Amino acid sequence: MRSKWIKVLAAAVVIAMALPAAGSAAPLEPDKECSLKVEAIKPTEENKEMAADLANANLVYDLYKVADMVNDGGYYTYKFAGKFEKLCDNEFLKTKYDGLVDEKGQLLMPRDGGEINSSLWEDLSQEAAKLALFGASENTETGGAGAEGNLNRAGGLPIIGEIIGTERPGENAFSEPDKVWKDVSVGTQLPDDSLQQGLYLLIARGKDIDSYITTERVGTNGTVPPASQTAEEEKIVTVAYTEQYVYTFAPQLISLPTKAPDADGQVSTANNGDWIYNPTVYLKPEQHPRYGYLEIVKDLLTHESFGGQSGEAVFVFQVEATLGGVSVYSDVKTMIFTGAGEQRVLIDKIPVGATVTVTEVYSGASYTLEKIEQGYHAVEAYPDSSIVYTPAGNINTGEVTGVVIEANRVASVKFTNDYDHRQTGGHGVINHYEYGENGWANDVQQQWTNPAQSNPPQGNENP
């Protein structure tokens, strides 16, 4: 098999091998083995709240040996190892980076203004992650595995795609065939001399999450586009949870040994200074609100019927949610009945920890609210999970307050109504509120439900 090499000839943002600088810096000891410590985030005054929250995320990481370091004619270079040899023949990388592969099939790092193009490291990390997680790189399916509406998808992540799903790595401390450390707790110092010199892929995640792989939509210039816009690409990220947040982590490539950051904070093994054989590496988490679910159930015991006809019964609910005194959700939901029975509406995208008030603002002209109840479903079993309701709210005002949104349970409020034998008919108004660039916008749609009335009322009539 022909050799697969990365020849690194200039400084890199993350990793770059070069001849030792002249002067006081000690030369590289090629036979010296390394160690590693991974921390969740670099502590600063600015991110101390995030750091405190990450301490509750039960973070672990898996470390894959991507390439060995060798001395090739005076240059320190990387030779891809095991299944990562496929990276050198990766058509995506060849196409995106013109001149990436030389006539010998050796992968050369591009140069941009004297520095290695940092985007290559991101792309290389992504392709290496596909090999590590799925056994293939380019053309790997990264779409969601679950059907739309599946409640077990990454806690209802914003701007994050559906969970891809994969079996979580085993509990082995070290796997020789893949040369990988697994389930290493973040903050743990690996044993001295436990890692050979080379290039490593670091994948961080929450320990007790079976399906921890998802995709993040990326637009031009690395920004995250609105849901209504097409993403330029999707990148693999892994997830961890705390009570109110979802954290995502992009795969990282790490060079061992390495050098200390330069004056601009850039880590490059071409920097001046001594080689560091037991570095501390910081993850780069992105924080997203964690979302939960609210279910509104309407139980209509008896349906209105007059003149041999059954009209439509309309019920309207106002939903308001606040978190820390700030409104985080406001909308109106409508249910229309043509007979007795039960209907439900499931609302997602309400931040975990939010407190919700649900008010039945319209219950039809011929129906009386009999009772209000509240309970919780288990997320993983919804909607088939058993639920025990308890009395809640005020039937005189049609309002239930203090409903707390949780991460692993679906909050449910149930309104029971009955026909009061008044034959009046009625109509309903659906108000849909969406939060946009100009704040809350109201899109009003009217549905006229009185079978005896062919035209809607005029003026300012309300249901």
Side-chain angles (χ1 to χ4, degrees):
M1 179 183 295
R2 60 186 173 86
S3 296
K4 314 286 186 177
W5 301 85
I6 306 177
K7 292 194 175 181
V8 184
L9 307 178
V13 173
V14 179
I15 48 176
M17 307 311 298
L19 288 171
S24 60
L28 176 68
E29 300 178 45
D31 297 327
K32 184 177 177 63
E33 294 188 330
C34 304
S35 179
L36 180 68
K37 185 177 183 180
V38 176
E39 296 285 8
I41 194 171
K42 190 170 185 177
T44 65
E45 184 65 24
E46 184 177 302
N47 64 27
K48 64 180 181 181
E49 291 185 2
M50 184 187 293
D53 191 55
L54 280 166
N56 300 314
N58 198 12
L59 290 175
V60 296
Y61 67 90
D62 304 321
L63 194 67
Y64 297 81
K65 179 74 173 294
V66 174
D68 298 314
M69 186 197 299
V70 297
N71 188 326
D72 180 40
Y75 287 94
Y76 291 110
T77 69
Y78 291 119
K79 179 181 180 182
F80 286 121
K83 60 186 174 185
F84 295 102
E85 288 185 345
K86 296 178 183 179
L87 289 172
C88 216
D89 293 323
N90 184 290
E91 291 298 329
F92 165 72
L93 295 175
K94 288 181 182 179
T95 301
K96 185 171 181 179
Y97 299 97
D98 186 34
L100 189 66
V101 180
D102 65 15
E103 66 280 2
K104 298 179 181 180
Q106 297 173 346
L107 184 62
L108 300 175
M109 296 302 173
R111 301 183 64 170
D112 182 10
E115 294 185 357
I116 292 179
N117 188 337
S118 61
S119 69
L120 174 60
W121 298 118
E122 297 176 8
D123 290 332
L124 192 57
S125 298
Q126 285 288 309
E127 297 304 308
K130 292 175 185 178
L131 282 168
L133 298 170
F134 307 111
S137 55
E138 52 199 349
N139 300 321
T140 298
E141 291 287 340
T142 57
E148 185 175 356
N150 175 11
L151 294 185
N152 204 27
R153 65 179 193 281
L157 286 171
I159 73 169
I160 303 295
E162 294 290 329
I163 285 290
I164 295 171
T166 186
E167 293 185 5
R168 187 165 61 87
E171 301 298 327
N172 298 331
F174 182 74
S175 172
E176 181 61 37
D178 286 336
K179 295 186 176 179
V180 56
W181 285 84
K182 296 181 179 178
D183 289 328
V184 182
S185 295
V186 167
T188 300
Q189 177 75 52
L190 288 179
D192 291 342
D193 303 331
S194 59
L195 298 171
Q196 297 174 338
Q197 295 183 14
L199 184 61
Y200 289 84
L201 175 69
L202 171 65
I203 297 179
R205 56 186 173 81
K207 181 176 181 179
D208 297 322
I209 306 173
D210 289 328
S211 295
Y212 58 86
I213 307 167
T214 185
T215 55
E216 189 169 55
R217 301 171 65 248
V218 180
T220 57
N221 300 322
T223 59
V224 177
S228 59
Q229 296 182 13
T230 302
E232 185 174 285
E233 60 181 320
E234 291 189 351
K235 292 188 176 181
I236 289 176
V237 293
T238 47
V239 300
Y241 301 121
T242 59
E243 184 175 348
Q244 292 190 6
Y245 295 101
V246 178
Y247 291 93
T248 57
F249 303 87
Q252 294 178 232
L253 286 175
I254 299 171
S255 174
L256 293 176
T258 186
K259 293 284 189 77
D262 61 18
D264 296 323
Q266 301 299 317
V267 178
S268 167
T269 53
N271 291 349
N272 291 326
D274 291 335
W275 292 97
I276 301 173
Y277 297 90
N278 57 346
T280 296
V281 173
Y282 297 98
L283 301 176
K284 300 174 183 178
E286 292 189 9
Q287 186 186 70
H288 312 274
R290 191 174 184 183
Y291 290 105
Y293 301 86
L294 172 71
E295 176 192 59
I296 303 174
V297 179
K298 167 60 64 180
D299 186 11
L300 184 59
L301 301 179
T302 310
H303 186 261
E304 173 186 19
S305 176
F306 58 93
Q309 298 184 20
S310 295
E312 292 181 336
V314 180
F315 300 91
V316 183
F317 302 89
Q318 178 74 41
V319 183
E320 301 288 340
T322 60
L323 181 62
V326 178
S327 175
V328 292
Y329 185 90
S330 179
D331 205 350
V332 173
K333 299 297 181 181
T334 300
M335 298 185 199
I336 301 175
F337 286 75
T338 57
E342 186 176 278
Q343 291 186 27
R344 64 189 64 208
V345 172
L346 182 66
I347 304 171
D348 61 2
K349 302 294 185 182
I350 302 179
V352 169
T355 300
V356 181
T357 297
V358 182
T359 307
E360 185 174 89
V361 295
Y362 181 68
S363 58
S366 305
Y367 298 90
T368 301
L369 180 61
E370 299 290 332
K371 61 181 176 180
I372 306 174
E373 300 168 287
Q374 181 184 346
Y376 286 90
H377 292 278
V379 167
E380 62 273 11
Y382 183 86
D384 298 324
S385 60
S386 60
I387 182 170
V388 176
Y389 284 106
T390 57
N394 185 330
I395 61 172
N396 295 318
T397 62
E399 180 180 83
V400 56
T401 62
V403 180
V404 178
I405 300 300
E406 299 183 4
N408 299 312
R409 298 199 298 172
V410 178
S412 180
V413 290
K414 183 177 182 179
F415 295 78
T416 300
N417 292 64
D418 202 3
Y419 176 44
D420 62 9
H421 300 286
R422 290 183 298 129
Q423 298 178 352
T424 60
H427 65 272
V429 177
I430 299 175
N431 294 298
H432 181 67
Y433 294 84
E434 290 188 350
Y435 191 81
E437 295 180 356
N438 299 318
W440 290 105
N442 180 13
D443 176 23
V444 180
Q445 304 174 27
Q446 296 188 346
Q447 297 186 1
W448 310 105
T449 60
N450 187 337
Q453 184 175 3
S454 58
N455 296 312
Q458 303 298 312
N460 296 321
E461 293 190 52
N462 293 311

